[in-house]
Amino acid sequence: MIEYHEARRAVAARAKPLPAESVALAAALGRSLARDVVARRPVPPFAKATMDGYALRAADVRLAGPHRPAELEVIGDLPAGRVRRGAVGPGQALRIMTGAPLPARADAVVMVEDTEPAGDRVRIRRAVRRGENVGAAGEDLARGERVLQRGSLLGPAAVGILASLGLASVRAVRRPRLAIIATGDEIVEPGTEPGPGRIWNSNGHALTALARQAGAEAFYLGIARDRAASLRRRLQAARSADILVLSGGVSVGDYDLVKEGLRSFGVRTVFSEVRIKPGKPAFFGVRGRQLVFGLPGNPTSALVTFHLFVRPAIEAMLRRPGPDLRVGRAILGSALTLKPGRLHFLRGILAGTGPALRVEPFPDQQSGVLKSMLRSQVLIVVPAAAARVPKGRVVDILRLD
Ligand code: AMP
Ligand code: MG
């Protein structure tokens, strides 16, 4: 049995960064950036009208008001996508549409609502400041600005930024291929009737979802029965995965065959028990370059140990910044009484903000209660020596998102 931090180090030492590849914009969502993205050009590339109206020189309409309109000569019409060659001179205005580049010597745009056409002239009923209704070049992104950091997972806005910089593809870290195998004679897939003594498989699906959310390419390989041959067939199918995750069958019961099955399949044990609660039977081993995690079958234990060990491995492979960045502190909302001896990870619900951030332990901490994971945003970390933790104590928390 090893300590939590040793176990984390053992995983970190074996989770190697994956290579970068070129990814088309359409497939970039959720990918980990391999390099910082720097704006090579300003966005927008030119000063432009942000309103439909008239481009003019603010000085010409300085005294304009509703009862004292300024009258200017209209020298043309500029839709978005076109460029005006000449300048706007004193006493002149150019009709301009939103998105069109501001012509030379104009310094403001008056909204069409504040104007009134008068033949080939226009009456301006309002004064404007210089720069009013004009989007400056580089207003969104300045040239040379480092706008996206390597190791960040691309979200929708980041995809938009890449596109606004004209990038059709981006260098992203290859996703780790992660295979998931559920185990257990009692487990059946949702959509079929369980029959007496059987339950539906939640882990296979929850772990697959967690792996995808963490940025892995997840392959769910179904349920292995509690027999060596059944497990072996699925281990064969998982051979090309970077990471293999199994749930169930890692305790000390008569039908817990996973650890033995993995060893006889050539998986070298790194650890096979960790002094934590939940998750004590968690197994970690390697087979060549493949990392193999045997997580306990209890749904909460499976998900908690995924967060503690598998997610950091995925993040290291994706070259993401250290997951310990997500460690925080909060004030415990109610007292805890625990059996000492193992490092506890309790599901907790956050309330308040800033230095007043509080965390309330989820009322039911049983390892079979998946609902606790649904409602909780954090794991409260309680040292192995603590038997009673009073309300108001500041505790470490690990974010689950
Ligand atoms: P095990 O670790 O195989 O001893 O399983 C511990 C508990 O978790 C048992 O009550 C199992 O029925 C349950 N369990 C195991 N695998 C799953 C699964 N894939 N989905 C839901 N519950 C499971
Ligand atoms: Mg089992």
mmCIF file of all heavy atoms in Angstrom, residues 42-44 136-142 145 147 161 164:
data_model
loop_
_atom_site.group_PDB
_atom_site.id
_atom_site.type_symbol
_atom_site.label_atom_id
_atom_site.label_comp_id
_atom_site.label_asym_id
_atom_site.label_seq_id
_atom_site.Cartn_x
_atom_site.Cartn_y
_atom_site.Cartn_z
ATOM 1 N N PRO A 42 -3.126 42.674 -36.839
ATOM 2 C CA PRO A 42 -4.157 43.179 -35.927
ATOM 3 C C PRO A 42 -5.545 42.705 -36.359
ATOM 4 O O PRO A 42 -5.782 42.468 -37.539
ATOM 5 C CB PRO A 42 -4.038 44.701 -36.072
ATOM 6 C CG PRO A 42 -3.360 44.929 -37.385
ATOM 7 C CD PRO A 42 -2.532 43.716 -37.673
ATOM 8 N N VAL A 43 -6.421 42.536 -35.379
ATOM 9 C CA VAL A 43 -7.822 42.201 -35.650
ATOM 10 C C VAL A 43 -8.682 43.244 -34.943
ATOM 11 O O VAL A 43 -8.534 43.436 -33.740
ATOM 12 C CB VAL A 43 -8.182 40.796 -35.123
ATOM 13 C CG1 VAL A 43 -9.670 40.503 -35.356
ATOM 14 C CG2 VAL A 43 -7.306 39.720 -35.762
ATOM 15 N N PRO A 44 -9.569 43.973 -35.607
ATOM 16 C CA PRO A 44 -9.718 43.961 -37.058
ATOM 17 C C PRO A 44 -8.497 44.574 -37.735
ATOM 18 O O PRO A 44 -7.783 45.361 -37.120
ATOM 19 C CB PRO A 44 -10.974 44.816 -37.291
ATOM 20 C CG PRO A 44 -11.077 45.692 -36.088
ATOM 21 C CD PRO A 44 -10.508 44.899 -34.948
ATOM 22 N N ALA A 136 -11.399 50.626 -33.838
ATOM 23 C CA ALA A 136 -9.996 50.856 -34.198
ATOM 24 C C ALA A 136 -9.364 49.572 -34.726
ATOM 25 O O ALA A 136 -9.752 48.473 -34.328
ATOM 26 C CB ALA A 136 -9.226 51.350 -32.977
ATOM 27 N N ALA A 137 -8.380 49.731 -35.615
ATOM 28 C CA ALA A 137 -7.589 48.569 -36.040
ATOM 29 C C ALA A 137 -6.938 47.970 -34.797
ATOM 30 O O ALA A 137 -6.462 48.694 -33.930
ATOM 31 C CB ALA A 137 -6.526 49.012 -37.039
ATOM 32 N N GLY A 138 -6.962 46.653 -34.694
ATOM 33 C CA GLY A 138 -6.321 46.002 -33.552
ATOM 34 C C GLY A 138 -7.102 46.117 -32.260
ATOM 35 O O GLY A 138 -6.605 45.779 -31.187
ATOM 36 N N GLU A 139 -8.334 46.589 -32.360
ATOM 37 C CA GLU A 139 -9.141 46.763 -31.154
ATOM 38 C C GLU A 139 -9.386 45.417 -30.449
ATOM 39 O O GLU A 139 -9.385 45.321 -29.230
ATOM 40 C CB GLU A 139 -10.481 47.382 -31.563
ATOM 41 C CG GLU A 139 -11.482 47.557 -30.472
ATOM 42 C CD GLU A 139 -12.775 48.158 -31.028
ATOM 43 O OE1 GLU A 139 -13.537 47.435 -31.716
ATOM 44 O OE2 GLU A 139 -12.997 49.335 -30.792
ATOM 45 N N ASP A 140 -9.567 44.353 -31.253
ATOM 46 C CA ASP A 140 -9.775 43.020 -30.682
ATOM 47 C C ASP A 140 -8.416 42.414 -30.308
ATOM 48 O O ASP A 140 -8.164 42.117 -29.149
ATOM 49 C CB ASP A 140 -10.526 42.161 -31.710
ATOM 50 C CG ASP A 140 -10.932 40.803 -31.149
ATOM 51 O OD1 ASP A 140 -10.624 40.529 -29.972
ATOM 52 O OD2 ASP A 140 -11.542 40.014 -31.887
ATOM 53 N N LEU A 141 -7.541 42.296 -31.290
ATOM 54 C CA LEU A 141 -6.212 41.727 -31.050
ATOM 55 C C LEU A 141 -5.149 42.641 -31.640
ATOM 56 O O LEU A 141 -5.228 43.009 -32.819
ATOM 57 C CB LEU A 141 -6.091 40.353 -31.729
ATOM 58 C CG LEU A 141 -7.112 39.286 -31.326
ATOM 59 C CD1 LEU A 141 -6.916 38.039 -32.168
ATOM 60 C CD2 LEU A 141 -6.973 38.966 -29.849
ATOM 61 N N ALA A 142 -4.174 43.007 -30.819
ATOM 62 C CA ALA A 142 -3.047 43.797 -31.327
ATOM 63 C C ALA A 142 -2.054 42.863 -32.008
ATOM 64 O O ALA A 142 -1.962 41.687 -31.643
ATOM 65 C CB ALA A 142 -2.371 44.525 -30.169
ATOM 66 N N GLU A 145 0.190 40.167 -30.081
ATOM 67 C CA GLU A 145 -0.459 39.764 -28.824
ATOM 68 C C GLU A 145 -0.537 38.240 -28.720
ATOM 69 O O GLU A 145 -0.939 37.560 -29.653
ATOM 70 C CB GLU A 145 -1.870 40.371 -28.791
ATOM 71 C CG GLU A 145 -2.626 40.086 -27.520
ATOM 72 C CD GLU A 145 -3.962 40.847 -27.467
ATOM 73 O OE1 GLU A 145 -4.136 41.842 -28.212
ATOM 74 O OE2 GLU A 145 -4.825 40.420 -26.686
ATOM 75 N N VAL A 147 -2.459 35.466 -27.676
ATOM 76 C CA VAL A 147 -3.890 35.437 -27.350
ATOM 77 C C VAL A 147 -4.331 34.089 -26.783
ATOM 78 O O VAL A 147 -5.243 34.039 -25.953
ATOM 79 C CB VAL A 147 -4.726 35.882 -28.567
ATOM 80 C CG1 VAL A 147 -4.481 35.016 -29.776
ATOM 81 C CG2 VAL A 147 -6.189 35.911 -28.244
ATOM 82 N N ILE A 161 -11.373 32.862 -32.460
ATOM 83 C CA ILE A 161 -10.139 33.670 -32.494
ATOM 84 C C ILE A 161 -9.198 33.136 -33.575
ATOM 85 O O ILE A 161 -8.643 33.903 -34.375
ATOM 86 C CB ILE A 161 -9.433 33.622 -31.119
ATOM 87 C CG1 ILE A 161 -10.256 34.344 -30.061
ATOM 88 C CG2 ILE A 161 -8.003 34.153 -31.213
ATOM 89 C CD1 ILE A 161 -10.021 35.838 -29.959
ATOM 90 N N SER A 164 -10.465 34.160 -36.827
ATOM 91 C CA SER A 164 -10.323 35.605 -37.076
ATOM 92 C C SER A 164 -8.881 35.961 -37.398
ATOM 93 O O SER A 164 -8.607 37.008 -37.967
ATOM 94 C CB SER A 164 -10.846 36.417 -35.889
ATOM 95 O OG SER A 164 -9.925 36.369 -34.823
#
